[in-house]
Amino acid sequence: MKYIYGLNKSGESIINYLNKTKEKYCCWDDDEKVRLKLLKKNKKINFLKPEDLEYELIDDVYVTPGISLNYHKLSVLKNKGLRLSRDLNLYLKLFNKKKIIAITGTNGKSTTTKLISDLLNQNNLHNFYGGNIGVPLLDCVNLKSNIKFHVIELSSFQLESLISFNPYISILLNISPDHLDRYKNYNDYIKQKNKIISCNNNGYNIIAIDDHETKKIYEKNKNRNNIIPVSLKFLKKGIFFKDDYIVDNYFYDYKKTKINKLSAHLF
């Protein structure tokens, strides 16, 4: 049985998926208004607080990204040996065969996600576009099965529960202090953001290195054969911008590509 804690967009999308697959689940949200709203949609929904569960029946726990995995009300689940996951973990179980382009960063990740999705669409490479940007990851189950590309924005909260993650492309834009109320310190926040790179051993890892923190991450990982630096400045080995062109000094020798042809160049 699945257990969902927190019933905002991502939590509700998991429930919608489980309803489709007819899997058993129970759920909870501390906000009574949220529970009542969901109850109007599904009279048979089973609400249970964490302390009221039959723990031996639970095989997966999904906590909405808006709630810390260290939230004190979840400690009873961890004490029973249950692993806490995010919607991202379930999404990866279902869609790891797709060409996933995952983007994170403190700033600009929504804009970058939308731009990449638009570039793909302009080249008739239709894609799912979602994640932290507002469309829950599990909503992609409603799309046609022939869509191969998924462009997803990931927050540090979604990345927290990652153990393994091998998207087609990982993109790390920048890191600056944010959400420090959720983390032990700034380094812990950086660690969560870095998972989009550190967990990806098979796909391409693109790092924008004009940022102080991401430059440090690049320097630690630059000997890996799947690390691609991106900059506004000239790079001897990497990809950089010059006038209206993207210049590829990574896969090619100074190959210039118009920005509006980028997706055809990469995919």
Side-chain angles (χ1 to χ4, degrees), residues 23-67:
E23 294 183 62
K24 291 183 179 181
Y25 67 88
C26 51
C27 57
W28 184 256
D29 194 291
D30 292 338
D31 190 330
E32 184 179 11
K33 291 181 180 178
V34 172
R35 299 198 306 272
L36 290 174
K37 182 180 177 181
L38 201 56
L39 195 59
K40 288 179 181 178
K41 298 179 183 179
N42 184 353
K43 299 294 183 184
K44 295 182 179 180
I45 197 161
N46 186 15
F47 292 119
L48 283 174
K49 295 180 180 180
E51 61 268 28
D52 296 331
L53 293 171
E54 294 184 58
Y55 305 106
E56 66 277 6
L57 300 180
I58 305 298
D59 47 28
D60 289 301
V61 177
Y62 297 104
V63 181
T64 188
I67 298 172

Side-chain angles (χ1 to χ4, degrees), residues 131-192:
N132 187 63
I133 203 164
V135 180
L137 290 171
L138 269 295
D139 278 15
C140 65
V141 299
N142 300 318
L143 299 177
K144 295 178 181 178
S145 60
N146 61 352
I147 290 181
K148 296 180 180 179
F149 290 90
H150 287 202
V151 185
I152 60 173
E153 176 192 329
L154 299 178
S155 69
S156 59
F157 303 156
Q158 289 170 299
L159 293 166
E160 288 170 349
S161 59
L162 275 185
I163 294 177
S164 118
F165 183 42
N166 286 291
Y168 181 49
I169 299 174
S170 288
I171 300 174
L172 177 59
L173 299 172
N174 51 62
I175 302 176
S176 57
D178 197 14
H179 302 302
L180 298 187
D181 57 320
R182 279 279 292 264
Y183 297 104
K184 297 175 185 176
N185 49 49
Y186 185 34
N187 285 334
D188 190 24
Y189 171 68
I190 293 171
K191 178 183 176 182
Q192 304 310 321

